[in-house]
């Protein structure tokens, strides 16, 4: 879908030390399926063609759009500039794309900002009363990095498993997600698996899931 939709920032706030939520006006004609990404640029001279992918965490019927964006200040790239924007600034949405979408109950496996497509999907399932039968495994470096922990726990209860790779903390799993961990936490490998995070994470997790009995047609992820 080629387009150039203008969305004005209504508010921003930090949800973790380096992740901000952006509430934007919803331009006419903006349509997406929860889980899909959108190419976004800043409507300022020299930046209009620098579109990067982000995922709406709001629902298609919401009157505004929400994005939840991790800033990489040290990279001096687009997310640093996005984090400096203020209400009134305008973003350009040029494309909606991506294969992540709800296909049936299963296990969501996310790392860091890779949670964003699942936030939208889980909000959609909650609204429809269809959260039962889903599990979330969410990996972060430390407790401070977890995005929307309260909401996720409130939605999924004990079916929400948080993993911390660089911190030990009571009530949280520690270490990296490996085959033993997945075998321990996942009852059946017959359902859908939704995987999102940095590309090496997606490749590792998909590889382990396939070895444990998941089938390729049940893996839902964005990748090459
Ligand atoms: C389909 C899709 C949807 C996405 N949705 C979201 C979303 O909803 N929210 C979100 O926060 N992000 C999302 N992302 C990721 C987001 O697009 C990138 O984080 C963003 O484009 C980074 O832009 P940048 O110019 O600030 O940083 P870049 O210069 O592009 O660098 C950021 C990247 O560099 C890596 N990096 C950081 N430090 C270093 C270093 N010292 N050396 C080498 N590499 C380093 C980071 O891991 C990160 O991947 C999505 C990505 C895809 C593909």
């Amino acid at each position: 879908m080629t387009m150039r939709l203008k969305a004005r920032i209504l508010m921003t706030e930090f949800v973790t030390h380096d992740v901000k939520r952006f509430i934007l006006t919803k331009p006419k004609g903006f349509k997406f399926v929860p889980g899909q990404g959108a190419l976004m640029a800043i409507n300022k001279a020299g930046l209009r063609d620098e579109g990067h992918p982000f995922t709406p965490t709001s629902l298609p019927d919401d009157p505004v759009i929400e994005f939840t964006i991790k800033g990489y200040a040290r990279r001096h790239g687009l997310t640093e500039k996005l984090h400096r924007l203020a209400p009134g600034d305008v973003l350009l949405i040029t494309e909606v794309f991506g294969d992540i979408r709800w296909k049936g109950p299963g296990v969501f496996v996310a790392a860091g900002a890779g949670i964003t497509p699942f936030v939208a999907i889980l909000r959609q399932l909650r609204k429809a009363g269809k959260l039962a039968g889903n599990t979330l495994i969410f990996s972060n470096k430390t407790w401070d990095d977890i995005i929307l922990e309260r909401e996720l726990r409130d939605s999924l209860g004990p079916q929400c498993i948080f993993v911390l790779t660089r911190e030990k903390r009571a009530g949280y799993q520690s270490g990296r997600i490996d085959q033993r961990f997945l075998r321990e936490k996942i009852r059946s490998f017959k359902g859908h698996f939704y995987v999102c995070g940095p590309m090496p994470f997606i490749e590792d997790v998909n590889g382990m899931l396939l070895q444990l009995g998941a089938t390729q047609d049940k893996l839902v992820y964005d990748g090459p």
Side-chain angles (χ1 to χ4, degrees), residues 12-22 57 67-72 83 112-113 115-116 138 140 144-148:
T12 71
E13 68 176 357
F14 279 101
V15 293
T16 75
H17 62 101
D18 61 359
V19 177
K20 265 188 166 180
R21 68 198 280 257
F22 292 75
T57 42
F67 283 95
T68 306
I69 297 180
K70 176 169 175 166
Y72 294 94
H83 272 217
I115 193 68
T116 52
F138 187 14
N140 284 278
D144 283 341
D145 297 316
I146 303 176
I147 297 170
L148 296 177

Side-chain angles (χ1 to χ4, degrees), residues 46-178:
L47 295 175
R48 292 191 180 92
D49 294 323
E50 204 191 317
H52 285 219
F54 299 99
T55 313
T57 42
S58 48
L59 295 181
D61 291 342
D62 287 347
V64 293
I65 316 173
E66 179 190 73
F67 283 95
T68 306
I69 297 180
K70 176 169 175 166
Y72 294 94
R74 270 184 274 161
R75 304 281 295 166
H76 304 304
L78 187 72
T79 58
E80 186 199 31
K81 295 181 185 88
L82 281 169
H83 272 217
R84 289 208 185 130
L85 297 179
D89 286 329
V90 174
L91 300 176
L92 291 173
I93 301 174
T94 54
E95 197 182 322
V96 170
F97 64 94
D99 295 327
I100 298 183
R101 64 193 61 200
W102 173 245
K103 295 196 174 162
V107 180
F108 295 81
V109 189
I115 193 68
T116 52
F118 304 155
V119 168
I121 292 173
L122 291 169
R123 285 177 174 174
Q124 178 195 34
L125 293 179
R126 184 173 179 148
K127 198 172 165 189
K130 288 185 178 171
L131 278 170
N134 293 287
T135 298
L136 170 67
I137 297 172
F138 187 14
S139 176
N140 284 278
K141 290 190 191 100
T142 68
W143 179 76
D144 283 341
D145 297 316
I146 303 176
I147 297 170
L148 296 177
E149 175 176 3
R150 277 171 65 176
E151 175 179 328
L152 296 168
R153 282 196 191 278
D154 192 48
S155 289
L156 291 167
Q159 291 312 109
C160 194
I161 302 162
F162 291 96
V163 181
L164 303 178
T165 57
R166 295 194 193 162
E167 185 184 343
K168 281 199 160 69
R169 201 179 178 100
Y172 298 77
Q173 304 289 317
S174 61
R176 288 171 69 82
I177 295 176
D178 57 15

